[in-house]
């Protein structure tokens, strides 16, 4: 999150230009794990593979993460934070049509960049409680944002089938599953799925 409050404390120029070595190494581990998801897959990749990809010894990696599962959980956390930051305009934009279009465009961009991480998160969400909690929390944030957009467009608040919260929940999981399936096929299929989901969201909001 960022702030425009001029009174908020700001880091010195020297600290901003010099991230801690530990932070850089942790990011290198996560970057290596994401590359290995593409080339090797979650089941086949090992802690030794991740350490080598990050330029660390296996022992050094254990200083930051206790297992492969912890590495992937941290990678999912980093990715869903970026996903939320890119698409949170849906919660803040006053014009519902603009909010929907911008949120969908930013979300599909991140799926293009990190779709494999997000598919891995979905695949692991039932088996790995930490990943499941992260994904459920992300879904809850999106449902809240979609609900707000629908209500700004005039949809009645409430949990009945034709009301904002129920519609937002259905839209959120429709988008997740549509993007999951389409991203396995091609970038073009992901773009088509995004356009369809945007149209459905607009129809739910009474804007198409």
């Amino acid at each position: 999150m960022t702030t425009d409050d001029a009174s908020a404390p700001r880091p010195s120029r020297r600290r901003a230009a010099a991230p801690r070595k530990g932070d850089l190494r942790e990011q290198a581990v996560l970057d290596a794990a994401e590359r290995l998801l593409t080339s090797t897959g979650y089941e086949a990749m090992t802690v030794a593979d991740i350490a080598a990809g990050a330029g660390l010894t296996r022992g050094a990696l254990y200083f930051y993460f206790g297992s492969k599962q912890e590495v992937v959980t941290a990678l999912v956390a980093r990715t869903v934070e970026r996903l939320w930051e890119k698409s949170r305009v849906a919660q803040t934009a006053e014009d519902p049509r603009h909010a929907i279009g911008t949120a969908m465009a930013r979300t599909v961009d991140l799926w293009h960049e990190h779709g494999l991480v997000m598919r891995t998160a979905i695949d692991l969400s039932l088996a790995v409680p930490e990943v499941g909690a992260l994904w459920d929390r992300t879904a809850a944030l999106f449902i809240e944002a979609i609900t707000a957009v629908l209500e700004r467009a005039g949809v009645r608040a409430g949990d009945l089938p034709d009301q904002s919260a129920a519609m937002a929940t259905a839209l959120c999981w429709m988008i997740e599953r549509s993007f999951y399936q389409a991203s396995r096929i091609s970038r073009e299929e992901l773009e088509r799925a995004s356009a369809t989901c945007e149209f459905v969201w607009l129809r739910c909001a009474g804007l198409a």
Side-chain angles (χ1 to χ4, degrees):
M1 301 290 183
T2 59
T3 179
D4 292 324
D5 184 356
S7 65
R10 300 181 184 276
S12 68
R13 184 179 301 274
R14 180 178 177 182
R15 288 184 63 193
R20 292 190 301 113
K21 186 179 293 185
D23 293 339
L24 294 175
R25 287 178 175 171
E26 288 176 18
Q27 295 307 311
V29 170
L30 301 186
D31 292 342
E34 184 162 7
R35 291 192 299 270
L36 284 163
L37 284 177
T38 301
S39 63
T40 304
Y42 175 76
E43 294 298 334
M45 75 182 187
T46 66
V47 169
D49 294 331
I50 299 170
L56 300 173
T57 65
R58 182 171 176 167
L61 184 144
Y62 281 125
F63 181 79
Y64 302 102
F65 300 100
S67 65
K68 176 178 76 172
Q69 183 174 301
E70 283 190 15
V71 173
V72 173
T73 299
L75 176 59
V76 170
R78 182 178 75 172
T79 305
V80 297
E81 182 179 357
R82 291 174 178 175
L83 175 65
W84 177 242
E85 283 299 311
K86 275 183 172 289
S87 54
R88 66 189 296 271
V89 65
Q91 198 172 40
T92 57
E94 287 298 322
D95 177 54
R97 187 182 298 275
H98 172 71
I100 293 168
T102 304
M104 291 300 297
R106 293 180 178 180
T107 301
V108 78
D109 283 348
L110 200 68
W111 270 83
H112 280 316
E113 297 169 15
H114 304 288
L116 186 53
V117 177
M118 287 187 279
R119 290 202 306 271
T120 300
I122 294 167
D123 291 340
L124 294 177
S125 60
L126 293 179
V128 181
E130 295 83 1
V131 173
L134 280 169
W135 201 250
D136 288 346
R137 175 58 179 157
T138 302
L141 289 170
F142 273 93
I143 290 168
E144 181 182 342
I146 295 169
T147 300
V149 172
L150 292 174
E151 291 176 2
R152 286 201 298 274
V155 177
R156 287 183 300 161
D159 295 322
L160 294 177
D162 63 342
Q163 295 176 344
S164 60
M167 293 171 69
T169 300
L171 284 167
C172 176
W173 296 117
M174 176 199 71
I175 292 167
E176 183 225 72
R177 183 52 48 176
S178 296
F179 278 30
Y180 179 99
Q181 295 292 348
S183 69
R184 298 170 60 192
I185 300 171
S186 66
R187 293 178 65 88
E188 292 75 21
E189 192 65 25
L190 185 57
E191 292 288 346
R192 282 193 288 271
S194 176
T196 300
C197 289
E198 181 176 343
F199 176 75
V200 173
W201 189 355
L202 286 167
R203 283 295 294 268
C204 288
L207 299 173

